[in-house]
Amino acid sequence: MADKLLQDVYRKIEREKVLMNGARAMRNSTENAAVQQRLDSQIREFQRNLSYLEERYNELQNRVIRTGMDSMNMNDGGNYGGGYQQPQLKPPNPPFAGQQKTRANFSKLGMIYAGNYVPRMLSDFLDRSYQI
């Protein structure tokens, strides 16, 4: 799966390079200032996309390398009679893994009402709690 993802990102990098080179060639072939300005902005966008994709590609490569290094068992060939092998620990599962957080859906009117209601409710509570 990681190889497929790396190939996909690499294909996108190559596509951005081709598009950027095409935009540069078109910019050099035209004398229209408006077209040149539009192409300049597209070239800048291609460069941003390209740097982002190259950064992601390098991160994925590093992750694949780390995963490969982690999966190698260093004790297989280096057991010198001690008989000790380091235990393989798994990270703890989060308490609510797989559950999505639901967000309350408030309307603008509801937020205005809540904005007026909450301070009034707090002041009433404080008034009651200090009345002895």
Side-chain angles (χ1 to χ4, degrees):
M1 178 167 155
D3 291 334
K4 184 179 183 300
L5 189 58
L6 280 170
Q7 289 173 354
D8 186 40
V9 173
Y10 183 75
R11 252 185 270 120
K12 288 179 182 180
I13 288 172
E14 291 302 313
R15 186 185 73 220
E16 288 292 322
K17 286 180 181 179
V18 168
L19 290 172
M20 186 168 57
N21 289 335
R24 283 182 178 155
M26 189 182 300
R27 189 202 184 288
N28 292 334
S29 69
T30 186
E31 297 295 324
N32 188 338
V35 172
Q36 286 179 344
Q37 186 177 11
R38 185 172 48 94
L39 289 169
D40 285 339
S41 66
Q42 286 180 352
I43 290 170
R44 283 191 299 273
E45 185 177 341
F46 289 140
Q47 288 172 339
R48 278 194 305 268
N49 292 343
L50 189 60
S51 65
Y52 172 79
L53 288 170
E54 287 174 340
E55 184 179 311
R56 293 296 162 243
Y57 184 77
N58 290 332
E59 286 178 9
L60 285 171
Q61 276 185 325
N62 290 336
R63 192 179 307 162
V64 168
I65 290 170
R66 278 196 309 266
T67 304
M69 295 293 279
D70 290 344
S71 67
M72 288 192 322
N73 192 347
M74 300 302 273
N75 292 327
D76 286 348
N79 192 353
Y80 297 108
Y84 175 76
Q85 288 191 350
Q86 187 174 5
Q88 299 293 325
L89 300 176
K90 294 182 181 178
N93 291 332
F96 300 104
Q99 291 183 0
Q100 292 186 358
K101 293 182 181 180
T102 57
R103 184 175 162 199
N105 190 12
F106 294 110
S107 67
K108 290 181 183 179
L109 182 61
M111 291 301 291
I112 292 171
Y113 178 73
N116 293 332
Y117 179 71
V118 171
R120 189 176 64 227
M121 186 176 68
L122 286 173
S123 67
D124 289 347
F125 173 75
L126 292 175
D127 289 343
R128 278 190 232 129
S129 63
Y130 287 118
Q131 291 176 357
I132 299 176

